[in-house]
Amino acid sequence: MISGGTLTADKAKDECGIVGVYNLEPTSDRSVTPFIPSALLDLQHRGQLAAGMTCFDPGRPHLLLTHKDTGSVREVFRLAHVAKAKAIVEEHSGVAAIGHVRYATSGRDQIEYAQPFERHHSRTFKWFSLGFNGNLANYSQLRDHLTKVRGYHMVHDVDTEILLHHVAHALRGESKPVLVDAFRELTQSLDGAYNIIFLNADGDLVAARDPMGFRPLCFGVRDGLFAVASESVALRNMGIEEITDVEPGQMVRVDYETRTVHLERYAEPCGHHHCFFEWVYFAHGSSVMEGRTVYDARWRLGEHLAQSEVEQMDENCVVVAVPDTAKPIGDAFAFSLRIPSLEGIVRNRYVGRTFIEGGERAQKVRSKYTLLPSVTGGKRVFLVEDSLVRSTTLRDLVKRTRDEGQASEVHVRIGAPPVIAPCFYGIDMSTLGELFAPAWLTKGYTQQDLDRVSREMATQLEADSLRYLLVKDVAPCIGLPHKDLCTACVSADYPSTAGESIYQAERTNGRHRTVGRAYDGVLADVPPMAGH
Ligand code: SF4
């Protein structure tokens, strides 16, 4: 869901991606800015609404300089126009730079919501810029505290602005605080997912991962170049081979004077709750998180799906994965069952932002995919998708596979468990009413319950059958213990107090709400530090 937009896409979207780059050679003023657009391109799948960067140059009156806009990285950095792209990079040169790609679960798709958010101040340690990946579950409580108790004014009313004010508050006073202490103060009040990239006018760069570790963050060094990013794919493409995960509650800091990298703990970890959907769908297929490669996890999800298959396979069966992220799941499913995996649905890669801007929805969904009857005609098609959050697009694809693709049967297979509860940690599915599965399944359902209702769910999708994975299948496929993963949206077991409180309020009040976010006004009784 895009606030202020017109289209609710079927699949959930991640909220953002962050990156930071630093020249570690004290005697060199080599600019690292050219790395930012290419790193953001590597993270483009984490957000296509807006992009931006802030760069630090101690030899320039504007110590920090920010460039940002709405649009893809290609559009914002004018990458199709060599001279303009070069001018942007040269104008914003710096020995340190941070970047951001945005997908909104809150706020609109206008330039003032693009990140990084820069806060100008005449004291250099209070002049900073930050980017944010996540979602503050206790957003409404934090906003009320800022505006009613501390007297702050909210211009944009989004999580990043709340973070901006909290960081500014942590930097109050006449003398510069130790940054690890300032970030420690943040944890006193925040609940949710909040990976932060921060750069100040003293040249301090900080990348912090929240104490519950919902979103990925990693860093590495190569030949005097430091880089930190949401996903390893961005670092690998800078030639960095040795990549280290930032642990929950840790921050990695680069000091300008010494050009040294420090890994520091600013908060005690509150367990480890890495979002399992990062492996299933959100992250880049080549990324490695917690030592587990995304592609490998997707392959094992497909193998698990195949193990639980009950349909008889014959030479008339074909697997068609919904492009693109379901491809490894579909391939593994087909490989295990010894049936072909073919491209029966071709995705138009250039629909891009047009797809999420205004206009007639059905036509846009239609133009995103083209069916190939030469592949699916007369076949028993196993349509493999990585997730089923809502249902509109998948129902349309099932119908088109039958009508345009001329399939004789269409069986839907989902490489994840049913999404039965909203996400309050940075994924755009924050209301119960927008989800497909809760009409049939609630917390604690069994395999028998799922088998019983899947016939009805398949009918709703106009499919011949529907099968999901179970929650217990997820952790073995990823290769991490179940306790180290957040599975709240498929289990309704929320790892933080604010998440649990919003869920209960949503069950009581919000079942029919399908837009916006569920947070407003439901957390008055949740104490600060909830869940920490
Ligand atoms: S609720 Fe679901 S989508 Fe949200 S962080 Fe947890 S696993 Fe990820």
Side-chain angles (χ1 to χ4, degrees), residues 214-215 275-277 282 422-425 427 429 486-489:
F214 288 103
R215 301 281 148 235
C275 168
F276 88 96
F277 253 129
F282 301 136
C423 174
F424 311 120
Y425 306 119
I427 304 302
M429 46 183 192
C486 175
T487 58
C489 54

Side-chain angles (χ1 to χ4, degrees), residues 462-484:
E462 299 182 39
D464 290 284
S465 69
L466 168 68
R467 289 192 76 79
Y468 286 97
L469 286 177
L470 292 174
V471 177
K472 70 177 176 53
D473 297 329
V474 167
C477 290
I478 292 171
L480 289 172
H482 179 81
K483 68 175 180 48
D484 287 353

